[in-house]
Amino acid sequence: MSRASTRREIEELLAKFEPDITQAFLAAVDDIRSSIVLRVVVNLLEKGDVQGAVAAMNLDHDAFAKFELAIVNAYNGGGQAFVANLPKMSDPSGNRVVWHFGVRNTPGEAELRRHSAAFVTAATEDIKQAIGESMAEGLAKGQNPTQTALQVIGKVNRVTGKREGGILGLTSQQSDYVDNPRYRLNPDVEPPGARQQLESGDPAMMKAYLKRGRRDKRFDKTILKAIKDGKPLPKEFIDRVVGRYSDGLLKLRGEAVGLNETMNALAKSRHDAMQQQIDAGKAESQDVTKVWHHPAEEHPRLQHIAMDGKSVGFEEQFQMPDGTLMRYPHDPDAPAKHTIFCRCRTEYRFNAIDALIRKRRLAGVQ
């Protein structure tokens, strides 16, 4: 398959499966928030039981079952698309070689499920840490337990009936962007969160908030007026602004997860699909070459630019400039610095003509 064909195929698959994975992740977070009983969480916070409050939010693995299924669907779809584009060829007897991709109970799918399970486990633990720190900070500064809980899980929108705002679902780093609990303890070292900037009353800090990319710009005029008048912002207004900023970050989180997990699933499916043809005796690894392609993007990795156009045999690994070995872009065994937000892809060149000539010679066919 040519470079252009590979790019077009992956772009089409991304357009098909990425929205499903993104939505499945955000839906899982929404389901978790909707199932939380606020009264139970508040009662535990009133007793100072932060860990109990975190446990009461039921951040368990099963909540992400549909998300994991969406990843498997992308994997299956990617493999089917790959074999559909393999070249038409016949065996030495003249029979057509039929390419198939086994979509169930394959080692590749099992490995993918382990990867997605590990991702969900890491994500839920990160979320638990973030909300635990937020609630502990809220109690430490004497905040009302109800307000502390709502800043984590968000308030119910009376129109939609769903919770909005809150930090549940964000990474710990994103949670700090919203409200950094360590800033109050060490302001000389820790950066302020959006809430600290707006509560400060300091014109410089409030202007710094207006540089945040995921803020809701509809509130900017009111914030600028407060800066000009030298007046503090009302608490209710700050809660609304921070809530919408948090929603923007959660959307970004979903988009990042959707892109990364879709690219991971598609890259793995293409490699596994080729491996299945080799295992089935329909192709031989010596006839397959892998080529690394780096797309034009806004924030490219210099190491990945250096890999553009590099080729290796199917059984070989790409060696990055820093020495990292990768079977293909998005290799799940590679460190995150080479996979997160990566849009590189692999072109598999199958020399069907040489393969057929060799097989005919071995079969004694002239």
Side-chain angles (χ1 to χ4, degrees):
M1 184 181 296
S2 68
R3 177 174 186 164
S5 298
T6 298
R7 182 179 66 250
R8 184 169 58 252
E9 177 190 310
I10 292 178
E11 287 175 350
E12 290 174 353
L13 291 169
L14 271 173
K16 180 178 181 179
F17 293 109
E18 182 182 354
D20 293 341
I21 294 178
T22 298
Q23 183 54 39
F25 177 82
L26 294 175
V29 173
D30 187 56
D31 287 345
I32 291 170
R33 293 199 298 188
S34 298
S35 66
I36 293 173
V37 180
L38 178 62
R39 174 178 51 80
V40 173
V41 175
V42 171
N43 288 342
L44 289 165
L45 290 178
E46 288 175 342
K47 299 174 183 177
D49 186 0
V50 172
Q51 292 306 312
V54 172
M57 295 183 185
N58 297 314
L59 278 157
D60 55 47
H61 199 110
D62 292 343
F64 291 88
K66 292 181 180 178
F67 166 71
E68 292 184 90
L69 179 60
I71 293 175
V72 172
N73 287 340
Y75 172 80
N76 292 339
Q80 295 286 4
F82 181 83
V83 297
N85 286 299
L86 285 173
K88 293 181 173 62
M89 60 178 290
S90 301
D91 62 20
S93 300
N95 297 314
R96 181 183 174 186
V97 176
V98 181
W99 310 108
H100 290 297
F101 178 64
V103 299
R104 293 295 175 191
N105 301 317
T106 65
E109 188 185 38
E111 184 181 343
L112 183 78
R113 287 185 181 277
R114 286 193 294 272
H115 167 77
S116 62
F119 170 84
V120 170
T121 298
T124 53
E125 289 304 313
D126 191 44
I127 293 171
K128 288 177 183 178
Q129 177 183 341
I131 63 180
E133 289 180 356
S134 177
M135 291 190 292
E137 167 65 12
L139 295 180
K141 67 179 184 179
Q143 187 171 267
N144 182 294
T146 299
Q147 182 65 24
T148 297
L150 291 176
Q151 286 181 3
V152 168
I153 66 176
K155 296 181 179 179
V156 176
N157 183 314
R158 294 182 180 178
V159 176
T160 65
K162 296 184 177 181
R163 293 192 179 276
E164 297 177 344
I167 63 169
L168 199 157
L170 302 182
T171 65
S172 55
Q173 183 180 52
Q174 288 178 319
S175 298
D176 287 346
Y177 292 161
V178 176
D179 187 350
N180 186 352
R182 292 176 297 282
Y183 171 74
R184 295 184 180 89
L185 300 175
N186 199 352
D188 294 331
V189 176
E190 292 287 338
R195 183 174 293 279
Q196 283 92 48
Q197 289 173 329
L198 295 174
E199 289 178 343
S200 69
D202 182 336
M205 289 183 67
M206 294 170 73
K207 288 180 181 179
Y209 167 79
L210 296 174
K211 296 179 181 179
R212 293 181 179 266
R214 285 286 165 161
R215 74 186 189 282
D216 188 330
K217 296 180 181 180
R218 292 176 295 179
F219 297 114
D220 287 3
K221 186 180 294 186
T222 302
I223 296 171
L224 286 169
K225 187 175 186 305
I227 294 172
K228 180 181 179 181
D229 297 342
K231 294 182 179 180
L233 293 166
K235 182 181 180 307
E236 294 77 11
F237 176 77
I238 292 176
D239 287 343
R240 287 174 59 203
V241 175
V242 173
R244 298 299 77 72
Y245 175 59
S246 181
D247 289 340
L249 289 178
L250 181 59
K251 184 174 183 293
L252 176 65
R253 165 77 162 145
E255 292 168 352
V257 168
L259 172 62
N260 288 330
E261 296 308 309
T262 306
M263 290 297 290
N264 290 345
L266 295 179
K268 180 163 183 53
S269 70
R270 292 166 59 76
H271 182 272
D272 291 351
M274 193 70 251
Q275 183 67 64
Q276 285 186 21
Q277 311 318 306
I278 294 171
D279 292 344
K282 299 176 182 179
E284 295 185 40
S285 61
Q286 62 182 315
D287 298 315
V288 181
T289 302
K290 299 182 294 190
V291 185
W292 186 296
H293 290 305
H294 178 276
E297 53 187 347
E298 186 176 357
H299 302 292
R301 291 173 171 86
L302 295 181
Q303 293 198 53
H304 290 204
I305 292 177
M307 295 300 296
D308 190 40
K310 295 290 180 65
S311 64
V312 297
F314 183 78
E315 300 292 345
E316 298 175 315
Q317 298 189 69
F318 293 100
Q319 183 169 1
M320 312 302 291
D322 65 2
T324 300
L325 296 176
M326 299 178 66
R327 291 173 293 172
Y328 49 84
H330 309 282
D331 185 340
D333 294 330
K337 67 178 181 178
H338 283 305
T339 58
I340 299 297
F341 296 120
C342 174
R343 298 184 73 97
C344 294
R345 57 187 178 273
T346 314
E347 175 192 348
Y348 291 84
R349 295 177 180 172
F350 176 46
N351 194 333
I353 295 177
D354 282 359
L356 179 58
I357 291 174
R358 186 174 60 256
K359 287 185 176 182
R360 288 174 67 89
R361 285 175 178 171
L362 291 173
V365 179
Q366 299 300 318

